[in-house]
Amino acid sequence: MANFIYIEDYSKSGKMAISLRVFEEIIKKALENIPDVSLSDSKMKKKQIIKLHSPVVTTIRRGIVHTWVSVDIKKTIAPVEACTMIQNEITRAFLAVTDQVPFDVQVKVESILDA
């Protein structure tokens, strides 16, 4: 499994690599722009100090960045609409940072919260 994705440098001055952690941070920042949506902590146990399961998982396989995002949404928004908004916002964020990296975004709604 790769930890970096390499971007083609057309000026022939070298290669640029982007880490998996960068993509995870881009996703977290993108989700801050969407109202009524938050990253899910449903897999966390009470008083758990070490986070074993992250709501954002990113892998790179065959040159494609694959991301899985688990979220909690409020009742005011439909799950299908929330998933579409999240995928669009993450897509915009990825394209703003790296306009040539292929990626796949999967969203899972873990729970629906009262408003």
Side-chain angles (χ1 to χ4, degrees):
M1 180 174 75
N3 290 325
F4 296 93
I5 186 118
Y6 295 95
I7 296 177
E8 188 67 36
D9 184 13
Y10 295 109
S11 65
K12 307 290 186 221
S13 60
K15 287 186 177 182
M16 181 189 308
I18 301 176
S19 171
L20 287 176
R21 303 296 169 235
V22 172
F23 287 104
E24 291 174 2
E25 290 301 316
I26 291 170
I27 292 169
K28 290 175 185 176
K29 291 293 181 188
L31 290 179
E32 291 175 0
N33 298 330
I34 304 173
D36 301 331
V37 173
S38 63
L39 288 173
S40 179
D41 285 333
S42 67
K43 296 188 183 211
M44 296 289 292
K45 295 180 181 175
K46 290 183 180 180
K47 298 181 183 177
Q48 183 176 347
I49 296 172
I50 299 173
K51 199 174 209 178
L52 299 175
H53 299 284
S54 176
V56 178
V57 177
T58 306
T59 61
I60 298 173
R61 285 182 275 140
R62 295 187 184 118
I64 300 173
V65 178
H66 297 275
T67 60
W68 294 269
V69 182
S70 297
V71 296
D72 297 329
I73 63 171
K74 292 186 178 177
K75 276 187 176 180
T76 58
I77 187 169
V80 174
E81 181 182 339
C83 290
T84 302
M85 285 188 341
I86 292 165
Q87 286 176 328
N88 289 340
E89 188 64 30
I90 292 171
T91 299
R92 274 193 287 274
F94 280 176
L95 290 175
V97 175
T98 62
D99 66 348
Q100 57 184 343
V101 174
F103 52 87
D104 173 43
V105 179
Q106 300 294 320
V107 179
K108 180 180 181 184
V109 175
E110 288 287 337
S111 64
I112 299 175
L113 306 171
D114 291 327

